[in-house]
């Protein structure tokens, strides 16, 4: 039924507002006709049936004012913006702001058309409604969109959601603050958390004093050893990045060839650390001279001449496995060789200089060696990496067990520097340079029996478990990745893959690797194609480059990875749930079978205020139970960063 606006009267449902009673007209004195009464405005329909903030409302009728300024609309006292008006139709925008975040409820729509007014009851939805099936995720919402969200009730009764608040800022120090609140209706029971409750992690404290691997008897010390080595290495990589950024070579250099070294030759090479102009001359013997590698042993090392078999095995493995792996999947360490010494081989220097000058470091490269002596006087003009020799109380077997992955890691740095310098590209951001070096180690670990394959969903027993129990001759590799990733997940809100969050933090080596691995698993057409594009330096540096080669936005990349961490879907290559369970069983009290730390609440009312996020940090809340109605979630108080909210229903 239509609502006439001839008098001020409420119109709701099928009520009809009758026009004013006709008046008896006086005959004009001149005998003319009586003027016809003005047409009565009528309203036939208000659409949609349920109004939503931030959307359009339409009023249809007859004899409506065609001038928008003659129309005034409001809901619950909040004015609407009239966008268009005609005799039969009025369109207005319901503002997104100003209304209280609440469940859908009846509100009063006030319609003023000139001097006439009518009020009508309408249902208004102030929340963005998310209706998900089990194991279905929602689109990412901005802070403004997430200011009021309604998770739809479950017809089956039980529902469980993971809500992740993610700081998508691309700088580690771009911190953000936020509040998260919830309210709902209906009784809730059987709450179970996807993210694990708080547990003590004092066992993960890194001891200050180093010790040899062969002396490791405590579970905690095994964790700490990897962290110490990583921390020492990180400082040296930062020095290299500064060198590469400050001195990008231009133009081609004259190629020349140096006489190839032969086994048992004695050569002198500069050992460099934090200077490109001063080095320490190391006299070394050639232990191995292969197709792609030359292995040098410092003749002043304590065991010089007594570990040739181990050194030859390292050189042979580089020729047979490591170099082909790098060139196929990441880049060529010898991409600049024609402009350096031209011998076509990577030089590995095992020297006590590393032990003495950088305790705790297994190995490192110096970018100085890629430049001519005219630029940096101490340059060897050669693809060189330096590595430590066994400690006094360390067996050669134990040393080799840790050194083999270091050879892969440092050779990948050589590949990255060579590929970028050959193209005149700038240095990669340090966190991503390390993340892709960890990817190289992972690819190496996958060359061993049962070590896994791309998207192979490989679990604990044949990989990390085999490394720890020394089931065969493979070295420690994936153990480092997952032990440090565990530490990151324990504090994913305050840590970041983009670098150290505080002094001594090395978790970004593992979280950066995890981010790259997830992106490759999720978006790559071929694993090697995406990785080589990332290392080559043809895309922007840092996370922007990773997003570019993945073909998505940085926001999509970071929120997708954050949610994957929460629901145990961090990629198709590794079965992370099985690996966490294996580590927890092997090291009870040190590792958790579900390491991600978050908050678990029953659907209904909850409030968390003043929460902080590092750049790329994520905070998690699991909401679950038997839900009788919709669950409201409010993201408010956002300050800093680029905060986004994403939701996945897991039950």
């Amino acid at each position: 039924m239509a609502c006439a606006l001839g008098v001020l009267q409420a119109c709701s449902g099928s009520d009809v507002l009758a026009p004013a009673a006709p008046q008896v007209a006086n005959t004009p004195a001149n005998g003319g006709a009586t003027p016809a009464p003005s047409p009565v405005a009528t309203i036939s329909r208000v659409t949609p049936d349920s109004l939503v903030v931030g959307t359009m409302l339409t009023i249809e009728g007859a004899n409506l004012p065609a001038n928008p300024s003659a129309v005034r609309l409001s809901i619950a006292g909040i004015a609407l913006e009239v966008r268009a008006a005609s005799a039969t139709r009025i369109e207005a925008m319901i503002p997104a702001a100003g209304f209280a975040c609440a469940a859908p409820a009846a509100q009063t729509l006030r319609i003023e058309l000139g001097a006439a007014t009518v009020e009508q009851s309408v249902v208004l939805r102030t929340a963005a409604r998310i209706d998900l099936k089990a194991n279905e995720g929602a689109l990412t919402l901005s802070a403004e969109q997430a200011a009021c969200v309604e998770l739809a009730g479950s017809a089956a009764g039980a529902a469980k959601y993971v809500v992740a608040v993610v700081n998508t800022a691309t700088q580690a120090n771009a911190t953000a603050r936020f509040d998260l609140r919830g309210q709902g209706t209906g009784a809730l029971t059987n709450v179970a958390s996807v993210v694990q409750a708080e547990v003590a992690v004092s066992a993960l404290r890194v001891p200050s004093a180093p010790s040899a691997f062969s002396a490791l008897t405590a579970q905690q010390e095994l964790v700490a050893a990897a962290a110490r080595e990583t921390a020492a290495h990180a400082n040296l990589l930062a020095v290299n990045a500064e060198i590469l950024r400050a001195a990008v070579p231009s133009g081609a250099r004259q190629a020349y060839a140096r006489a190839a070294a032969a086994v048992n030759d004695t050569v002198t090479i500069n050992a460099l650390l934090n200077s490109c102009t001063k080095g320490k001359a190391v006299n070394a013997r050639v232990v191995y001279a292969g197709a792609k590698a030359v292995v040098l042993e410092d003749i002043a090392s304590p065991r010089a001449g007594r570990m040739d078999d181990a050194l030859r095995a390292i050189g042979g493995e580089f020729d047979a496995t490591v170099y082909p792996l790098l060139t196929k999947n990441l880049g060529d360490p010898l991409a600049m060789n024609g402009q350096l010494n031209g011998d076509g081989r990577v030089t590995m220097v095992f020297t006590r200089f590393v032990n003495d000058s950088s305790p705790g470091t297994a190995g490192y490269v110096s970018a100085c060696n890629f430049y001519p002596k005219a630029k940096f006087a101490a340059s060897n003009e050669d693809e060189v990496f330096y590595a430590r020799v066994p400690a006094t109380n360390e067996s050669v077997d134990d040393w080799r067990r840790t050194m083999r992955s270091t050879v892969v890691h440092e050779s990948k740095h050589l590949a990255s520097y060579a590929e970028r310098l050959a193209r005149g590209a700038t240095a990669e951001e340090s966190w991503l340079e390390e993340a892709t070096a960890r990817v190289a180690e992972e690819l190496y670990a996958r060359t061993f029996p049962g070590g896994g394959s791309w998207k192979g969903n490989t679990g604990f027993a044949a990989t990390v478990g085999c490394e720890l129990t020394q089931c065969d001759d493979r070295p420690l590799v994936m153990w480092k990745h997952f032990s440090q990733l565990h530490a990151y997940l324990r504090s994913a809100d305050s840590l970041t893959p983009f670098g150290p969050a505080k002094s001594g933090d090395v978790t970004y080596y593992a979280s950066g690797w995890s981010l790259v691995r997830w992106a490759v698993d999720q978006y790559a057409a071929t694993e090697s194609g995406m990785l080589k594009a990332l290392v080559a330096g043809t895309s922007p540096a840092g996370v922007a480059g990773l997003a570019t080669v993945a073909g998505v936005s940085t926001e999509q990349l970071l929120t997708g990875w954050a949610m994957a961490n929460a629901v145990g879907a961090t990629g198709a290559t590794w079965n992370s749930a099985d690996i966490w369970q294996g580590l927890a069983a092997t090291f009870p009290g040190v590792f958790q079978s579900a390491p991600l730390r978050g908050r678990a609440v029953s659907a209904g009312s909850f409030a968390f205020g003043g929460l902080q996020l590092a750049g790329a940090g994520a905070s998690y809340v699991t909401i679950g139970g038997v839900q009788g109605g919709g669950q409201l979630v409010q993201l408010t108080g956002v300050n800093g960063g680029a905060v986004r909210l994403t939701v996945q229903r897991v039950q």
Side-chain angles (χ1 to χ4, degrees), residues 235-318:
N235 296 331
L236 297 172
L237 188 77
V239 173
N240 281 327
E242 290 304 314
I243 293 168
L244 292 167
R245 291 190 187 100
V248 177
S250 59
R253 287 179 279 182
Q254 181 65 41
Y256 68 97
R258 178 183 300 163
V263 173
N264 290 325
D265 284 353
T266 299
V267 300
T268 300
I269 191 165
N270 282 332
L272 307 179
L273 188 61
N274 294 321
S275 172
C276 292
T277 58
K278 295 181 180 180
K280 177 179 174 56
V282 172
N283 293 320
R285 179 174 63 94
V286 178
V287 179
Y288 177 87
K292 296 299 180 182
V294 175
V295 177
L296 306 181
E297 182 187 35
D298 186 346
I299 62 176
S301 297
R303 304 185 194 188
R306 292 184 288 152
M307 48 185 291
D308 285 10
D309 288 347
L311 292 171
R312 282 195 293 264
I314 285 175
E317 186 174 53
F318 183 88

Side-chain angles (χ1 to χ4, degrees), residues 454-498:
W454 188 37
K455 297 188 179 182
N457 198 36
T458 304
F460 176 79
T463 57
V464 179
C466 183
E467 291 176 12
L468 292 170
T469 60
Q470 294 184 273
C471 71
D472 56 22
D473 187 47
R474 78 187 65 195
L476 288 170
V477 186
M478 299 312 298
W479 151 256
K480 295 185 299 181
H481 293 52
F482 283 102
S483 63
Q484 290 174 352
L485 183 59
H486 184 281
Y488 165 79
L489 293 173
R490 300 302 295 149
S491 302
D493 51 354
S494 61
L495 298 175
T496 169
F498 297 156

